[in-house]
Amino acid sequence: MSAPTIKEMTELCHAIAKSKGFWDKPRNTGEALMLVVTELAEAMEAHRKQDDANFKEELADTFIRLFDLCGGMGIDIEAEILKKCDKNKLRPYKHGKIC
Ligand SMILES: [Mg+2]
């Protein structure tokens, strides 16, 4: 059995959120994005406390919320990531900034 693709992870995260009632009404995109930010803030707090297990869990929460949002909005984030990586490969060293 191979590892799930990002597309499959997106479908899984969105299916779970839907089954728990989080998509019974249309989602507010700004609110959903800020919930992703709260997960990153929780990861920062775990990092500050040197709680490695919780740090990893909060990073997972971050991806879960992002994948759910992408699933709900019909965004193929796997394709978008690959497209952006191709774009990033063409950018200059340190994106041309001298620092
Ligand atoms: Mg969390």
Side-chain angles (χ1 to χ4, degrees), residues 38-39 42 57-58 61 65:
T38 66
E39 299 300 348
E42 289 170 1
E57 186 173 295
E58 298 306 342
D61 276 345
R65 285 198 186 273

Side-chain angles (χ1 to χ4, degrees), residues 38-49:
T38 66
E39 299 300 348
L40 288 171
E42 289 170 1
M44 178 61 206
E45 185 66 8
H47 175 68
R48 197 183 64 75
K49 290 179 178 169

Side-chain angles (χ1 to χ4, degrees), residues 1-95:
M1 188 171 146
S2 60
T5 64
I6 291 172
K7 190 178 178 80
E8 289 165 341
M9 293 295 289
T10 299
E11 290 166 359
L12 174 66
C13 294
H14 183 54
I16 292 170
K18 265 180 78 173
S19 76
K20 300 298 176 184
F22 293 108
W23 288 86
D24 288 351
K25 291 186 284 184
R27 295 293 304 262
N28 176 307
T29 303
E31 187 178 299
L33 286 170
M34 287 306 100
L35 288 171
V36 174
V37 172
T38 66
E39 299 300 348
L40 288 171
E42 289 170 1
M44 178 61 206
E45 185 66 8
H47 175 68
R48 197 183 64 75
K49 290 179 178 169
Q50 299 180 340
D51 184 343
D52 192 49
N54 189 233
F55 177 68
K56 292 174 187 174
E57 186 173 295
E58 298 306 342
L59 289 180
D61 276 345
T62 304
F63 281 99
I64 288 166
R65 285 198 186 273
L66 270 175
F67 288 154
D68 171 36
L69 181 61
C70 291
M73 296 181 78
I75 296 169
D76 182 350
I77 197 61
E78 185 172 277
E80 295 300 327
I81 291 169
L82 291 171
K83 200 165 40 173
K84 187 60 167 73
C85 283
D86 285 345
K87 198 171 176 181
N88 286 350
K89 283 182 206 167
L90 298 175
R91 296 182 81 177
Y93 185 77
K94 291 191 176 181
H95 301 173

